[in-house]
Amino acid sequence: MISIFIIFAVFILYNINKMTNSLCLQKDIPEDRQPKVFRTINILVTILLISSFVEILYA
């Protein structure tokens, strides 16, 4: 179960990062602010994935 969830999480993070890159290009976000945008989105998605895993584990 854990390995399936890890594969799913990596796939989700990869797609979120692709969409974040598209957002940065579309909205013309300056290069110096892009790492902060990526970091914030990645932290929030990681928290969401961890909470989903805990919910599945204890449900």
Side-chain angles (χ1 to χ4, degrees), residues 9-52:
V10 168
F11 178 73
I12 293 296
L13 281 171
Y14 174 75
N15 282 328
I16 293 294
N17 280 328
K18 272 184 27 181
M19 289 189 289
T20 303
N21 189 35
S22 298
L23 173 75
C24 288
L25 293 175
Q26 184 179 11
K27 296 296 180 181
D28 295 327
I29 296 175
E31 289 286 328
D32 57 331
R33 289 191 58 213
Q34 286 183 14
K36 188 174 181 180
V37 171
F38 274 93
R39 188 177 321 115
T40 303
I41 291 175
N42 283 332
I43 289 171
L44 292 174
V45 169
T46 304
I47 291 170
L48 180 65
L49 288 169
I50 290 171
S51 65
S52 299

